[in-house]
Amino acid sequence: MAYRRRPLTPHPHIERLSMLDFPATDVGEHGLTLPSIGLGTAALGNFLSVVPEEQAAATLRRAWDAGIRYFDTAPLYGHGLSEQRIAETISTEQRDSFVVSTKVGRLLRSDAPRDESQYFEGEPFYVDVPETGPVWDFSYDGVITSLHESLERLHLDRVDVLNLHDPDDHYAEASTTAYAALRDLRTQGVVRGIGAGMNQTTVLTQLVSNLDLDMVLLAGRYTLLDQGSMGDLLPACRDNGTRVVVGGVFNSGILIDPSDDARFDYVPAASGIVEKARRIRAVCDRFDVPLAAAAVQFPLAHPQVATVLIGARSVEELDEDLELLSIQIPDQLWFELQREGLLAEGAPIPSLESARR
């Protein structure tokens, strides 16, 4: 299951924007502000393939130099490797100049049993990582312990956001003991924002409806290919004043290149998914716009979306993503996608200005 991302064709006449040119959004009522663009760092935790130390460091430094000031991580990402690599880049920067979010719900332990959810066809999602593995723990003490261990790996005295991580099968604990810990940490001013991160909407919608969350991190369910969250989660977030951070905008790469062997949600894509992605690409081709540019810019138009996370494992991939954010997309492209039924009814579409913010 080795990672492979095809290089993008350079687009002519691009004036690349600094990520500092994009505005920030106030989130919650505890002083949290999130930039429009952040860096997701699962890939830098050796997701699907090894990222050498020097390559990871160069990618993180390039992100900083490009104006990215929001970094999302988790203990699961490389079994602590992602957090450690972030520390090597940002721990010496002025603390109030950046935002870090990490996650709770798993502790890293040397005697961890094998977690089958982290394997596909016998191959692990994270490769060549520390021997310690993830153990589920949504208890009150488990959340506090997870935070302290993350701070040690990050070489920081605080993080800005704590998210419940993948509580799909742990709703009872996540919504009670784990939430109580997050709520108390926010009240004490230890963190400024609390939320939950998942790649499905049913449980996230329950959490948003029943708890006081500042934000959610939604991976892969509000994209150019899949706007399923408009039916439940996004309305719940609107009604409860909860902001959304969108990850997985390329749906595992199919919105970069919908080839026969494309992946969707990390596994081989079904033929119907591939066909829809190709139809979207055909519309983009008519306007000489890369499919990936439309994919990364589309979620920014939704009023509940505070941030889009881009993920890169090399300087080259990061530069490609930054270029995609700078490409001007004509309004007519979005109208054509609507006309052909390729966007959900009512999905907000970017304008030339809103896409660039």
Side-chain angles (χ1 to χ4, degrees):
M1 196 171 57
Y3 171 82
R4 177 169 57 97
R5 171 167 164 175
R6 295 170 177 84
L8 297 171
T9 302
H11 199 272
H13 311 306
I14 296 301
E15 181 181 352
R16 182 173 296 159
L17 301 174
S18 167
M19 295 304 100
L20 295 174
D21 295 333
F22 285 66
T25 300
D26 292 332
V27 175
E29 300 177 350
H30 301 269
L32 175 64
T33 300
L34 293 181
S36 295
I37 304 299
L39 184 70
T41 61
L44 299 180
N46 289 357
F47 183 67
L48 301 184
S49 64
V50 173
V51 176
E53 288 288 341
E54 299 80 5
Q55 181 175 317
T59 303
L60 285 161
R61 177 48 54 186
R62 174 71 181 109
W64 182 273
D65 291 343
I68 290 177
R69 295 294 184 268
Y70 174 20
F71 302 86
D72 176 72
T73 185
L76 177 66
Y77 299 166
H79 299 185
L81 190 60
S82 168
E83 292 179 323
Q84 293 166 0
R85 287 175 164 178
I86 288 176
E88 295 168 6
T89 299
I90 66 171
S91 61
T92 58
E93 300 290 346
Q94 183 181 358
R95 183 59 190 87
D96 290 338
S97 66
F98 61 86
V99 173
V100 172
S101 57
T102 193
K103 304 179 182 71
V104 296
R106 294 177 174 96
L107 296 173
L108 300 178
R109 295 295 180 261
S110 58
D111 59 348
R114 176 173 164 130
D115 182 353
E116 293 298 332
S117 71
Q118 296 303 306
Y119 287 78
F120 177 71
E121 294 183 345
E123 297 295 323
F125 285 121
Y126 293 95
V127 298
D128 194 18
V129 294
E131 291 296 323
T132 54
V135 177
W136 292 107
D137 192 334
F138 284 98
S139 69
Y140 190 103
D141 289 343
V143 168
I144 303 300
T145 299
S146 181
L147 172 59
H148 288 317
E149 293 178 355
S150 286
L151 291 175
E152 289 181 6
R153 288 187 291 266
L154 287 162
H155 299 169
L156 297 175
D157 61 358
R158 63 179 170 86
V159 295
D160 303 280
V161 181
L162 273 183
N163 285 316
L164 304 168
H165 198 187
D166 295 339
D168 308 55
D169 299 322
H170 305 270
Y171 180 82
E173 278 190 300
S175 61
T176 54
T177 53
Y179 171 70
L182 294 187
R183 180 195 57 208
D184 290 350
L185 289 167
R186 183 179 60 184
T187 299
Q188 296 160 11
V190 178
V191 299
R192 293 184 291 174
I194 61 174
M198 303 176 68
N199 59 13
Q200 57 109 318
T201 63
T202 301
V203 174
L204 268 185
T205 303
Q206 291 177 302
L207 292 168
V208 166
S209 299
N210 297 323
L211 308 176
D212 178 20
L213 300 182
D214 301 301
M215 57 163 282
V216 293
L217 199 171
L218 177 65
R221 301 285 78 81
Y222 189 66
T223 71
L224 193 61
L225 189 57
D226 182 346
Q227 297 106 53
S229 57
M230 289 184 62
D232 52 4
L233 178 62
L234 289 171
C237 288
R238 177 199 61 214
D239 293 345
N240 290 277
T242 307
R243 290 292 186 173
V244 179
V245 173
V246 172
V249 294
F250 299 132
N251 282 128
S252 303
I254 193 171
L255 285 175
I256 295 175
D257 179 17
S259 60
D260 289 340
D261 59 349
R263 291 179 177 272
F264 179 80
D265 285 351
Y266 318 124
V267 301
S271 58
I273 295 291
V274 175
E275 177 58 28
K276 182 178 179 181
R278 288 174 176 171
R279 290 180 62 202
I280 296 171
R281 182 179 62 183
V283 173
C284 292
D285 287 347
R286 290 178 215 158
F287 295 91
D288 193 28
V289 169
L291 170 63
V296 75
Q297 292 187 30
F298 167 74
L300 286 169
H302 198 287
Q304 286 307 123
V305 172
T307 304
V308 163
L309 296 177
I310 56 176
R313 65 184 62 233
S314 68
V315 169
E316 293 75 19
E317 286 189 2
L318 182 61
D319 283 346
E320 288 176 351
D321 291 343
L322 297 176
E323 180 175 301
L324 295 172
L325 285 161
S326 301
I327 292 173
Q328 294 194 35
I329 299 178
D331 293 350
Q332 191 60 36
L333 181 149
W334 307 111
F335 300 148
E336 284 294 302
L337 289 174
Q338 288 180 322
R339 186 180 65 80
E340 295 195 16
L342 294 169
L343 291 179
E345 184 176 354
I349 59 173
S351 68
L352 288 176
E353 292 305 314
S354 67
R356 292 164 62 96
R357 294 284 181 117

